[in-house]
Amino acid sequence: MSKILLSTLNAKYIHLNLAIRILYDLNKDREGLSWHEFTIKSPVEEIVDHCAGFDVICFSCYIWNITPTLKAAEAIKAKHPHIKILLGGPEVSYEWEQVIAHPWIDYIIVGEGEIPFTEFVQNYPLINNVPNLIYKTYENGNTDGHIHYNKQDVGFDVKEFENRNPYQYDDPTTLAHKVSYIETSRGCPYKCSFCLASLDNKVRYLPMQTIKDNLLYLMQHGRVIKFLDRTFNIKKDFTLELFQFILDHHRPGNVFQFEITADIVHPDIIAFINEKVPTGLFRFEIGIQTVNQQSNLEVSRKQNFEKTSKVIKALDDRIEMHLDLIVGLPLEYWNDLKFSFESVFKLFPPELQLGFLKFLKGTPVREKYEQYGYVFDPMPPYQIIKSNFLSEEELHAVTLLEHALEVYWNKKRACHTLRYITGNYSIFDFLLGLGKLFAQKHSLHRYNINDVYAVLKTFIDENHSDDPVVSSMLALDYYTYFTVKPKDIGLVIWDKKTTSQFTINNNLNHHKNRYVVIPVAFQPSVYFSQNLVTPAEDIMVIEYNNREKGTCLFSLTTKAHTII
């Protein structure tokens, strides 16, 4: 009996691959079938050694792992020529000709893998009739092989997942340290031309009881659970039923992430969340992509940004939001991009991802790229280089803005500063200039936390010296980021002697904690209580207890102090 290994290279150690677990569960009774995961950083030698005892290695392929997967396959074949290599997954289901041309690739399964893979393992090595299998035959000494594609219209009935748990083969104690993935449906009702999900518009739901059983298992043993559904909230009753199930059974530490379409969220769902869902339990990923309606229509996408904004604002006290924008969509020029970015940033999501258009194999936007003058990297992840709408120089500038966004906003290092800038200046221009300065002073991949704040201070000194509130907000961000008093980066603070006398006069616990007193150009009490910036000469007192990040205790407007 041939020994077959199901495998993949995950992006990170904490990730789990649902596909190979499903395929293993469906075929676990087949003698000689095993599964094992690696990461894209696993040494090739480690992968080759693990695969040595098998006859067929089956890799699940995605945009993030196809390059190291092909390298691993080549290395396996070089050391063990008898081993056959089978690839499957979205990255090899389209434009597969170049992939199968590699001499170290023997088979490719195209499309949904459940039926073809089952046929493959049940009949191997007699694979000629396996549906949607691409394979090679060799005749008359031909070393290149003749390529066959057994194309068939087969569809897997997701009801076959009833009473199946693909995670039952994991050591349950390991799930708490990983991100677990669950699907409740397949397909997407939308036709966004940059997304592979647009190719399957028939939404098929798994059996509800099986969904609940598997979800309960992951809640009991795991921690972070991400739903793979492209639009989780299509059906109101379905959404509410699973939300209630989670509320009834979740454990401390559980976090649930959903991809939703915000402008179709039913009012009943909003009311349910605000009435029942604890803060921090749910995370919503919302793909806004652009607020430019011409661009939306050009990629067959519908979105009402006004409704989207209202839903986000209605839920932002309860739900941690992750918003996405895409740079490079058709008909979106520089000023359109700036407008989209600033409109979305004003929602102040905890995380805003500025992604770049990628030309995924099989997507309509890739097929008609020449229509818009697109040039994109031929290697994964197939990212845009230039177009009729954005030049290469403009796109490079946006990468620097994106870096500044990640460093200062998404990592929560300058949120007060950036909120103030958004209300008084152009946040797009600010982050763009900040990103350019950062790139001039440091490598984008090698810097420390002091570099982060030193660059921000330099940029503010050079561009906003006439507005002292900006520097005050920087001081608030800097001195509340650390758990211990940080080093001096040139911000104005009271000297040690004056600060010491101040803490004594105001009965602060100066024996146990440390303090920084900062002159500022706004009233902190009004800012923290009413979210308003009121210009005035004032002070902030920051306390460090060595356990939590620095805390702003009070200012002159909240309590009478003896100023020395």
Side-chain angles (χ1 to χ4, degrees), residues 408-513:
Y408 292 99
W409 179 258
N410 290 341
K411 294 190 180 300
K412 310 295 186 291
R413 290 165 175 158
C415 292
H416 297 292
T417 304
L418 297 184
R419 279 177 174 268
Y420 178 76
I421 290 294
T422 302
N424 296 275
Y425 306 96
S426 166
I427 185 62
F428 183 90
D429 292 343
F430 185 90
L431 287 172
L432 182 64
L434 181 58
K436 290 179 178 178
L437 181 63
F438 202 109
Q440 292 172 12
K441 291 185 173 294
H442 302 286
S443 162
L444 299 187
H445 304 289
R446 296 183 63 184
Y447 53 88
N448 59 43
I449 192 63
N450 287 321
D451 296 332
V452 168
Y453 285 104
V455 171
L456 180 55
K457 182 180 183 303
T458 298
F459 184 76
I460 290 172
D461 290 345
E462 293 177 353
N463 295 276
H464 292 280
S465 59
D466 57 341
D467 186 348
V469 176
V470 183
S471 292
S472 296
M473 288 295 176
L474 167 59
L476 175 59
D477 282 315
Y478 181 64
Y479 283 104
T480 56
Y481 183 78
F482 300 89
T483 56
V484 295
K485 180 182 175 182
K487 65 181 292 186
D488 181 13
I489 60 169
L491 294 168
V492 177
I493 61 174
W494 285 9
D495 62 44
K496 185 175 181 180
K497 180 179 179 181
T498 308
T499 300
S500 177
Q501 190 60 56
F502 175 86
T503 60
I504 294 171
N505 292 348
N506 288 278
N507 299 316
L508 300 179
N509 191 351
H510 61 283
H511 296 293
K512 184 177 181 181
N513 303 322

Side-chain angles (χ1 to χ4, degrees), residues 211-221 245 249:
I211 294 171
K212 290 180 177 179
D213 291 343
N214 291 345
L215 185 55
L216 181 61
Y217 185 86
L218 292 178
M219 283 191 277
Q220 291 172 339
H221 300 291
F245 183 79
H249 299 282

Side-chain angles (χ1 to χ4, degrees), residues 325-357:
L325 286 172
I326 294 179
V327 178
L329 292 174
L331 303 183
E332 184 155 86
Y333 294 88
W334 182 263
N335 287 335
D336 301 314
L337 173 63
K338 178 177 179 177
F339 181 76
S340 285
F341 182 84
E342 296 196 334
S343 299
V344 174
F345 196 90
K346 287 175 182 177
L347 298 173
F348 299 121
E351 186 172 7
L352 173 58
Q353 181 174 334
L354 194 61
F356 290 79
L357 182 62

Side-chain angles (χ1 to χ4, degrees), residues 245-494:
F245 183 79
I246 290 171
L247 294 184
D248 292 340
H249 299 282
H250 76 277
R251 299 170 66 243
N254 281 154
V255 177
F256 303 86
Q257 182 164 322
F258 307 87
E259 188 170 336
I260 71 162
T261 299
D263 59 355
I264 65 166
V265 174
H266 195 279
D268 290 352
I269 295 177
I270 296 175
F272 179 94
I273 291 172
N274 283 324
E275 292 171 9
K276 297 184 178 182
V277 177
T279 300
L281 184 64
F282 289 175
R283 295 175 183 168
F284 283 176
E285 181 177 344
I286 303 172
I288 295 177
Q289 319 309 10
T290 179
V291 303
N292 182 344
Q293 286 304 323
Q294 284 186 309
S295 293
N296 276 322
L297 292 174
E298 199 68 12
V299 294
S300 304
R301 177 180 174 81
K302 295 181 180 180
Q303 178 185 228
N304 186 318
F305 182 66
E306 183 179 355
K307 288 184 178 179
T308 295
S309 300
K310 288 180 179 178
V311 169
I312 291 171
K313 291 175 181 177
L315 297 176
D316 63 2
D317 287 340
R318 295 279 181 168
I319 307 295
E320 182 177 322
M321 302 285 184
H322 172 114
L323 306 186
D324 292 325
L325 286 172
I326 294 179
V327 178
L329 292 174
L331 303 183
E332 184 155 86
Y333 294 88
W334 182 263
N335 287 335
D336 301 314
L337 173 63
K338 178 177 179 177
F339 181 76
S340 285
F341 182 84
E342 296 196 334
S343 299
V344 174
F345 196 90
K346 287 175 182 177
L347 298 173
F348 299 121
E351 186 172 7
L352 173 58
Q353 181 174 334
L354 194 61
F356 290 79
L357 182 62
K358 295 173 177 60
F359 294 79
L360 306 180
K361 291 180 179 180
T363 57
V365 74
R366 181 178 175 115
E367 293 176 357
K368 54 183 180 180
Y369 73 95
E370 293 176 325
Q371 176 180 337
Y372 305 107
Y374 280 120
V375 177
F376 61 90
D377 190 340
M379 300 299 293
Y382 316 115
Q383 185 166 299
I384 181 175
I385 295 175
K386 64 179 180 179
S387 72
N388 291 340
F389 319 108
L390 292 173
S391 68
E392 191 169 355
E393 292 74 23
E394 287 173 326
L395 283 162
H396 174 68
V398 180
T399 65
L400 302 181
L401 182 154
E402 188 274 335
H403 182 261
L405 174 70
E406 182 66 24
V407 169
Y408 292 99
W409 179 258
N410 290 341
K411 294 190 180 300
K412 310 295 186 291
R413 290 165 175 158
C415 292
H416 297 292
T417 304
L418 297 184
R419 279 177 174 268
Y420 178 76
I421 290 294
T422 302
N424 296 275
Y425 306 96
S426 166
I427 185 62
F428 183 90
D429 292 343
F430 185 90
L431 287 172
L432 182 64
L434 181 58
K436 290 179 178 178
L437 181 63
F438 202 109
Q440 292 172 12
K441 291 185 173 294
H442 302 286
S443 162
L444 299 187
H445 304 289
R446 296 183 63 184
Y447 53 88
N448 59 43
I449 192 63
N450 287 321
D451 296 332
V452 168
Y453 285 104
V455 171
L456 180 55
K457 182 180 183 303
T458 298
F459 184 76
I460 290 172
D461 290 345
E462 293 177 353
N463 295 276
H464 292 280
S465 59
D466 57 341
D467 186 348
V469 176
V470 183
S471 292
S472 296
M473 288 295 176
L474 167 59
L476 175 59
D477 282 315
Y478 181 64
Y479 283 104
T480 56
Y481 183 78
F482 300 89
T483 56
V484 295
K485 180 182 175 182
K487 65 181 292 186
D488 181 13
I489 60 169
L491 294 168
V492 177
I493 61 174
W494 285 9

Side-chain angles (χ1 to χ4, degrees), residues 9 23 86 118 175 213 224 229 236 307 324 346 478 526 544:
L9 278 62
L23 295 178
L86 181 149
T118 296
L175 295 177
D213 291 343
V224 178
D229 309 72
K236 181 198 72 171
K307 288 184 178 179
D324 292 325
K346 287 175 182 177
Y478 181 64
V526 177
Y544 300 94

